[in-house]
Amino acid sequence: MAWNLEFLSIISSKSCENYIIFSAEISLSNGIRAFIYFVGLAYCFLGLSSITARFFRSMENIVKHTRKTVEIDHSTGTTLIKHEKVWNYTIADITLLAFGTSFPQISLATIDAIQNIGQLKAGGLGPGTLVGSAAFDLFPIHAVCVVVPKAGSLKKISDLGVWLVELFWSFWAYVWLYIILEVWTPKIITLSEAFLTVLQFGGLLVHAYAQDKRWPYLSIPLGRSERPEEWVPENETLLIDGHSNKESDSDCCEILQANERQDGNIVDIFSIHSCTGPGDKSVPDNEMGESADPLYHKNRVDNEENILSVWRQQFLDALMLESIKSKKMNVFCLRTTKLFWQLMLMPWRLLFAFVPPYQIAHGWIAFIGSLLFISGIAYVVTKLTEGISCVTGINPYVIAFTALAAGTSWPDLVASKIAAERQVTADSAIANITCSNSVNIYIGIGIPWLIDTTYNFFVYQQPLYIENASGLSFSLLVFFATSVGCISVLILRRLVLGAELGGPKPWAWLTSVYFMSLWLVFVVLSSLRVSGKI
């Protein structure tokens, strides 16, 4: 109660002279401005969710890209055509999937660093958001994933070796962060420390790939158990022009949707593991190139010739408020709610329709375009957060640990939830969590600090000073303690139930509540510490 009274007094007494869009904002009361900024922040998070769906579709096309190799079978005189995947599953999980779901946090931290460039002190939004995001990834996302499998079904990690490597690098990332904040050069970051932080992301990639390929001396001698060769999602079908086409699954290794008019269909983020992989197909010499992959070839030609019409369709789809399915709803309240929700999404959908179709260049152009839009939203989020901190007096680290961490981690939650529902194992759902936490430190904090330390080194010959290093270090210690409790329960579930996710609903919900309580402990203790309450 005392804290609430203090908070209200801060809003009513202090005047914030900074504004975000219009100078007239200053004439409004702090309470009204705080409300407007919070609503704007929530709407930006809604935009992040909208662009993330398009980002994932482009990522699917990238990962499903295959290269065709042709061999001659001299005994039969036929041509053997093989489609080999360009991307390794483990590397795709770490680079595209984990990087993609963490890009909102990375963008926010990078923008925060660029805004503070030339100053000797680092900004607080970036590091606070990324440490808070790690806690959100580890606790609430595990809490969701453990209950989403069907009642009684169990989903376990099939490749323990890869998971242990990813888990090691994830924990080491936060140990390393504590070392450079409190042990090596207390409360300052040097250019060499920032460079080593980024460099360790390469170590993660090499070690994970070595474990996946079981390289001697560099991998843990653990085999894979019960992992389907392609990690195919349950009931997975290929959508071509909005229709299911099961017969062509073995031939088509790219997402070939011409539009997004599927009624109610959710893009399967994790179908990057569902393509049929290196497939063999024998055809006579004179038919090679025409019939080697007819469906794939036909759609590629159609997409190239009609790409403008596909792009135009994106804008038409963005203007649609009701689908055929929603028009058949008899419940007035439900239909009205759905219409209102679609109306709220329409501005974002129209804006994101400018992203080129993901059929172009295997999805790379749409991938980059989506990242640019995400960066733009992250910039707006940064300005809104600064405004909230100014009018309320709340420490920026507190906002970063709570609202920013939860809002920017929403893509991680969606990705892991879909994996836990549709994948036959728990590998992708849990790997996305651990890999995202590694990316948060090595890239999300490493790159911004590298930018600032490089500038300070060449211009001022000075390191980068961390203003609230003690509060950040305390949060790391709390994170270590609570994460041990989280991983211990996952191991216990493996020993008792035989799997990390799912199982009897009472036990699943009990585990979920336990994970959420760990997150609350982290948020409360970290917020009190950076606010000077403890």
Side-chain angles (χ1 to χ4, degrees), residues 169 193-205 442-443 450:
W169 283 96
E193 290 172 338
F195 179 74
L196 287 174
T197 301
V198 177
L199 190 64
Q200 289 178 72
F201 182 68
L204 164 63
L205 292 176
Y442 300 133
I443 301 297
L450 185 61

Side-chain angles (χ1 to χ4, degrees), residues 35-333:
F35 174 77
I36 294 174
Y37 295 160
F38 271 115
V39 171
L41 192 64
Y43 195 64
C44 285
F45 291 153
L46 185 63
L48 283 177
S49 299
S50 299
I51 189 61
T52 298
R54 189 174 295 273
F55 173 84
F56 281 137
R57 286 186 182 274
S58 64
M59 186 182 64
E60 280 186 314
N61 268 10
I62 293 173
V63 179
K64 284 180 174 292
H65 176 48
T66 60
R67 57 171 174 260
K68 184 170 69 174
T69 60
V70 180
E71 298 179 2
I72 305 296
D73 188 342
H74 298 286
S75 61
T76 60
T78 59
T79 299
L80 186 66
I81 300 176
K82 296 182 179 180
H83 293 274
E84 299 178 348
K85 285 190 174 181
V86 175
W87 285 86
N88 172 267
Y89 290 149
T90 299
I91 299 302
D93 276 343
I94 298 174
T95 54
L96 294 178
L97 185 59
F99 179 81
T101 55
S102 298
F103 197 75
Q105 302 97 297
I106 297 172
S107 298
L108 190 147
T110 305
I111 291 170
D112 186 44
I114 293 174
Q115 286 182 336
N116 286 277
I117 199 167
Q119 301 181 19
L120 295 180
K121 293 182 179 179
L125 285 182
T129 300
L130 288 160
V131 174
S133 175
F136 188 90
D137 286 351
L138 195 62
F139 305 129
I141 296 182
H142 269 126
V144 171
C145 290
V146 78
V147 297
V148 294
K150 296 178 181 178
S153 63
L154 294 169
K155 297 188 178 184
K156 68 178 182 179
I157 299 172
S158 63
D159 197 334
L160 281 175
V162 170
W163 179 67
L164 289 174
V165 167
E166 294 168 346
L167 186 65
F168 164 77
W169 283 96
S170 175
F171 272 94
W172 167 248
Y174 292 88
V175 172
W176 168 256
L177 186 59
Y178 184 85
I179 290 173
I180 61 178
L181 282 174
E182 294 292 338
V183 180
W184 191 351
T185 53
K187 297 178 175 55
I188 64 173
I189 300 297
T190 64
L191 177 60
S192 60
E193 290 172 338
F195 179 74
L196 287 174
T197 301
V198 177
L199 190 64
Q200 289 178 72
F201 182 68
L204 164 63
L205 292 176
V206 172
H207 195 183
Y209 185 79
Q211 180 63 42
D212 184 73
K213 295 299 184 181
R214 297 305 191 270
W215 287 357
Y217 308 111
L218 292 178
S219 61
I220 304 172
L222 291 174
R224 296 186 179 95
S225 60
E226 303 175 8
R227 187 182 99 173
E229 184 179 353
E230 299 298 335
W231 293 7
V232 181
E234 297 174 355
N235 303 322
E236 198 274 333
T237 59
L238 182 65
L239 294 175
I240 300 180
D241 296 336
H243 302 286
S244 174
N245 191 325
K246 297 181 180 180
E247 294 179 359
S248 62
D249 285 355
S250 61
D251 294 332
C252 187
C253 284
E254 295 228 11
I255 298 296
L256 299 171
Q257 298 96 327
N259 55 58
E260 297 182 24
R261 289 176 290 180
Q262 299 91 352
D263 296 330
N265 286 329
I266 301 176
V267 58
D268 179 18
I269 299 165
F270 286 85
S271 63
I272 60 173
H273 295 307
S274 65
C275 190
T276 52
D280 298 346
K281 188 169 184 177
S282 298
V283 294
D285 290 335
N286 57 358
E287 295 182 10
M288 185 189 67
E290 289 290 335
S291 58
D293 205 347
L295 182 62
Y296 173 78
H297 179 72
K298 176 182 180 298
N299 278 274
R300 287 288 301 214
V301 172
D302 288 347
N303 287 337
E304 291 171 1
E305 293 178 352
N306 301 296
I307 201 65
L308 291 180
S309 64
V310 175
W311 204 339
R312 182 174 63 252
Q313 186 62 49
Q314 290 184 172
F315 289 92
L316 297 176
D317 293 338
L319 293 171
M320 292 181 61
L321 292 178
E322 283 192 292
S323 63
I324 298 175
K325 184 177 180 180
S326 62
K327 289 179 180 179
K328 295 180 181 180
M329 290 183 178
N330 296 323
V331 182
F332 175 77
C333 292

Side-chain angles (χ1 to χ4, degrees), residues 7 10-42 383-394 399:
F7 173 73
I10 290 173
I11 288 183
S12 60
S13 62
K14 289 189 176 182
S15 177
C16 177
E17 299 299 325
N18 298 329
Y19 61 90
I20 297 177
I21 301 177
F22 305 110
S23 59
E25 296 173 23
I26 301 175
S27 62
L28 299 175
S29 67
N30 285 349
I32 294 177
R33 292 176 67 184
F35 174 77
I36 294 174
Y37 295 160
F38 271 115
V39 171
L41 192 64
K383 303 304 290 184
L384 287 170
T385 305
E386 292 173 352
I388 292 172
S389 179
C390 183
V391 300
T392 62
I394 301 176
I399 302 175

